[in-house]
Amino acid sequence: GAGVSQSPSNKVTEKGKDVELRCDPISGHTALYWYRQSLGQGLEFLIYFQGNSAPDKSGLPSDRFSAERTGGSVSTLTIQRTQQEDSAVYLCASSLGGQGTYNSPLHFGNGTRLTVT
Amino acid sequence: EDQVTQSPEALRLQEGESSSLNCSYTVSGLRGLFWYRQDPGKGPEFLFTLYSAGEEKEKERLKATLTKKESFLHITAPKPEDSATYLCAVRHIKAAGNKLTFGGGTRVLVKP
């Protein structure tokens, strides 16, 4: 596709349920990022994937959060036992990666708005 | 720890009234400062990258400048379609990949 695609666009879930958020990056982009944007807050880094390297998970807020990237393309962010404080917009971005691309801009999807009731 | 602070938090302008947004940062080794525009319900859209003090970039009514401690986004003769949240982000020289640290944004409303 032309841009980063995220699904679903909106998700309402009950506290304690698990949710999966999907990201389909721009074709050819080897780097993929997840960010979280809470109401009135800036973007908070969650996790970064580059090719086949081990992901940088330093931003994941708790062990209830995990992410995987299959085949170097599509990524899924999973939140287990959701809590109300998990309510936010989850944004995925992709960019060129590897040597010589260190300032390649991030291209964002439109996010998944998660509401935990 | 890298910190990015944007001011003001919100800005209301009349159409044609030029103004500037500020992004101040504390990064021990800057490897790029980025400006993004975000419309409601959308993801951030890339505008500019600045690499070194003294650098300037322009796009239509927007002009971004960079010093050693801050960046400014100047909006010249804004139009209502310039209404958006403008986000500033920095990349630390040791950051993994192109991982960015974002400021809280400035919400700009341009009234006709």
Side-chain angles (χ1 to χ4, degrees):
Chain A
V4 177
S5 178
Q6 292 188 246
S7 61
S9 54
N10 282 284
K11 177 71 177 179
V12 180
T13 190
E14 292 180 354
K15 177 181 173 182
K17 301 282 190 183
D18 297 352
V19 295
E20 285 189 352
L21 313 180
R22 176 189 167 102
C23 172
D24 203 339
I26 292 172
S27 177
H29 281 188
T30 59
L32 187 147
Y33 312 76
W34 284 97
Y35 281 82
R36 177 169 71 175
Q37 188 172 33
S38 302
L39 191 63
Q41 307 264 337
L43 275 72
E44 174 190 6
F45 168 79
L46 297 176
I47 189 169
Y48 156 67
F49 295 90
Q50 167 53 39
N52 295 321
S53 302
D56 175 353
K57 304 179 181 180
S58 60
L60 293 178
S62 78
D63 58 10
R64 296 186 295 104
F65 287 73
S66 63
E68 63 177 21
R69 189 177 184 192
T70 53
S73 181
V74 171
S75 177
T76 303
L77 177 69
T78 301
I79 308 174
Q80 296 179 311
R81 305 181 302 281
T82 52
Q83 304 293 313
Q84 288 187 329
E85 60 263 29
D86 299 334
S87 295
V89 176
Y90 289 82
L91 291 161
C92 176
S94 70
S95 74
L96 295 173
Q99 290 283 351
T101 65
Y102 62 86
N103 269 336
S104 173
L106 274 61
H107 297 268
F108 285 86
N110 286 330
T112 294
R113 180 175 298 279
L114 176 66
T115 304
V116 182
T117 61
Chain B
E1 183 181 329
D2 300 346
Q3 286 197 339
V4 183
T5 304
Q6 292 189 246
S7 62
E9 289 186 5
L11 190 60
R12 293 167 68 95
L13 300 172
Q14 286 296 132
E15 184 171 1
E17 178 188 2
S18 301
S19 189
S20 294
L21 316 182
N22 178 266
C23 170
S24 63
Y25 60 91
T26 54
V27 176
S28 56
L30 181 71
R31 201 171 196 180
L33 184 140
F34 299 76
W35 282 99
Y36 283 82
R37 168 192 172 125
Q38 186 174 26
D39 293 300
K42 303 289 187 181
E45 176 188 348
F46 171 71
L47 292 173
F48 306 109
T49 309
L50 301 167
Y51 297 100
S52 57
E55 188 174 0
E56 299 182 351
K57 293 274 180 76
E58 285 189 68
K59 180 179 180 180
E60 296 181 358
R61 294 175 293 282
L62 301 177
K63 178 179 175 180
T65 61
L66 181 65
T67 72
K68 289 186 177 179
K69 294 183 178 180
E70 57 192 349
S71 176
F72 292 93
L73 184 65
H74 308 277
I75 310 178
T76 301
K79 298 182 177 182
E81 54 261 43
D82 295 321
S83 297
T85 296
Y86 291 87
L87 299 168
C88 163
V90 298
R91 180 176 181 266
H92 188 279
I93 196 167
K94 293 184 179 178
N98 296 334
K99 186 171 77 175
L100 301 180
T101 301
F102 281 83
T106 295
R107 296 187 311 278
V108 174
L109 176 63
V110 182
K111 298 171 65 176

